[in-house]
Amino acid sequence: MRKSYKIVVAVLLSIITYSLITFLATLSIVLSKVESFDFQPKFFGQDIVYIHIQDSIFNANVTSTGVLIFGLLGGIIQLLINKFSKSDKQAY
């Protein structure tokens, strides 16, 4: 697989993993019957996820800032893996 495709796949997998973890965490909190819960972490002053539960009504929101941050993080990690991978250098 070419290096550019590996980076795109890493970005997409990073975004999917981020969204899935948010969904599963919210689902586990709802199933544990927590009546009131508010979770809103920030990264560089921007919301990355918002989970609010009150009276068995829940709202989970994956923000675009969070998707962008984790997508870029996945791409950077894959870029570093590609750069320092010895198997790619030996294949060419």
Side-chain angles (χ1 to χ4, degrees), residues 16-75:
I16 290 168
T17 303
Y18 166 66
S19 302
L20 185 65
I21 288 172
T22 301
F23 173 74
L24 292 176
T26 305
L27 186 63
S28 66
I29 292 169
V30 168
L31 291 177
S32 64
K33 298 183 181 179
V34 173
E35 292 183 16
S36 180
F37 183 78
D38 193 24
F39 181 66
Q40 192 171 2
K42 295 185 182 287
F43 188 79
F44 291 126
Q46 301 292 319
D47 295 334
I48 57 173
V49 68
Y50 176 72
I51 300 173
H52 179 74
I53 300 171
Q54 188 165 2
D55 299 328
S56 299
I57 299 171
F58 73 95
N59 180 18
N61 186 16
V62 175
T63 64
S64 58
T65 305
V67 169
L68 180 67
I69 289 170
F70 284 94
L72 286 175
L73 183 62

